Amino acid sequence: MGSPTEPKVDEVSGRKLALIFKLIGKGELNITPLIDHSVGVRYPYIEKVMELKPEEVRELLESLTAEKLLKKSLYDKVFACPKCASINLSPRGLCPYCGSFDIEKKRLLEHLRDGTKFVVNKLFEGVKPVCPRDGMELEPHEYRVLASWFECNICKRKFDTPEVGFHCITCGLDFKAREGEFLEVYSYSLSEEMSDYVEKLANLKILAESFTSAGYNVRFIENLEGLSGSMHKFDIVAYKIEKEKEIKVVLDLYKGEGEVDGSVVISMFAKVLDVKPDKAVCVAIPSLSGVGKNLAKQYNIEVVEGSNAEEAASTLSKLVR
Ligand SMILES: [Zn+2]
Ligand SMILES: [Zn+2]
Ligand SMILES: [Zn+2]
């Protein structure tokens, strides 16, 4: 039953499954990050639905990835403090000679009408430089930039490009760009194994309604102890008390591209023989092979077929009511 890569449900905590179900419920299969410089990398949607702190969300997503329930893809790389890994950084330009941050950006401008050349320290967009000769506030078309450079207020040297440095707001470290580290930022989505598993769970949910509407209590992926003492896992186990006696129905779901191979009936029979339920149902989507149907008849296993889970569920309803 199932492929060897199928996640082991028993090892997955309820909290993790809850997350998966919530994601599926919302059709939210891609978990994208938000780079929040004051907090770090965040996944706001998961924080909200799981009521977790940002760092708890990151741990949860990583552990789900390690368990192959999610897969991650590189979303971005961000600059981080080499000491504390914070991304709460303030960039600054540094003097390449003495390392001081006390530097100026200078420009040599020319007032085109009168040819006056003068130096300005700052030139933010929309700010009009003033000609020192005639006091005119110059519009962009009235002057040109002849040169630009940087100057250190401490060692007084001039240079073309400042060294880029960062101040870490979290731990206070000042470091140069080349001393920084990169942090990978990931987005997450359901792994292929999980997508198959999720599809199966969705189908089981549809089938379960046939039982619940007939008054059964339903458990998914349930382990039952057989007479031999070994445990057997069934996709659905449905219970109902009738005339003070418990009725137990087990169901396994098999889905194939085409006809489901008859061997599934043999493996189900081995479990059924040990567990001795009141009824055993083999659901095959879209259909079970002729050999499988014959075996099921001999083994007293009910076969339910359907092109999809809904169709199978309506047949199942007639069988269990
Ligand atoms: Zn300097
Ligand atoms: Zn002028
Ligand atoms: Zn730091």
Side-chain angles (χ1 to χ4, degrees), residues 111 114 116 131 134:
H111 184 190
D114 59 14
T116 306
C131 173
D134 49 35

Side-chain angles (χ1 to χ4, degrees), residues 80-89 167-173 175:
C81 170
K83 188 174 161 195
C84 75
S86 167
I87 61 169
N88 196 2
L89 306 174
H167 176 72
C168 174
I169 292 161
T170 307
C171 78
L173 182 73
F175 60 98

Side-chain angles (χ1 to χ4, degrees), residues 297-320:
K297 207 169 192 175
Q298 288 178 44
Y299 295 161
N300 204 21
I301 293 173
E302 305 275 359
V303 176
V304 169
E305 295 172 313
S307 61
N308 53 39
E310 287 82 359
E311 217 176 282
S314 84
T315 309
L316 181 64
S317 293
K318 289 169 203 149
L319 195 70
V320 298

Side-chain angles (χ1 to χ4, degrees), residues 70-201:
L70 297 179
K71 61 169 190 252
K72 62 181 180 182
S73 0
L74 189 63
Y75 182 85
D76 202 352
K77 281 206 178 188
V78 289
F79 221 58
C81 170
K83 188 174 161 195
C84 75
S86 167
I87 61 169
N88 196 2
L89 306 174
S90 157
R92 42 175 66 162
L94 303 176
C95 170
Y97 298 105
C98 74
S100 168
F101 61 83
D102 188 7
I103 61 173
E104 306 277 0
K105 183 171 182 177
K106 307 233 176 197
R107 289 180 182 82
L108 180 64
L109 306 187
E110 182 185 18
H111 184 190
L112 293 172
R113 207 184 60 185
D114 59 14
T116 306
K117 296 178 180 67
F118 58 103
V119 173
V120 292
N121 271 358
K122 284 177 186 58
L123 194 56
F124 286 106
E125 210 176 294
V127 174
K128 294 171 187 165
V130 177
C131 173
R133 183 145 152 201
D134 49 35
M136 268 183 74
E137 287 193 345
L138 307 181
E139 297 292 339
H141 65 275
E142 292 175 312
Y143 68 89
R144 63 173 171 155
V145 180
L146 295 172
S148 75
W149 68 96
F150 294 85
E151 250 178 69
C152 176
N153 285 331
I154 304 302
C155 72
K156 308 294 178 195
R157 282 164 131 141
K158 295 178 182 166
F159 43 93
D160 288 337
T161 322
E163 170 125 53
V164 177
F166 292 91
H167 176 72
C168 174
I169 292 161
T170 307
C171 78
L173 182 73
D174 286 302
F175 60 98
K176 290 172 178 161
R178 63 186 133 87
E179 297 163 343
E181 298 291 342
F182 287 102
L183 264 190
E184 283 81 11
V185 179
Y186 295 102
S187 64
Y188 297 84
S189 54
L190 285 183
S191 67
E192 266 116 60
E193 294 95 322
M194 198 57 197
S195 300
D196 291 348
Y197 177 66
V198 159
E199 192 197 331
K200 185 169 186 176
L201 283 182

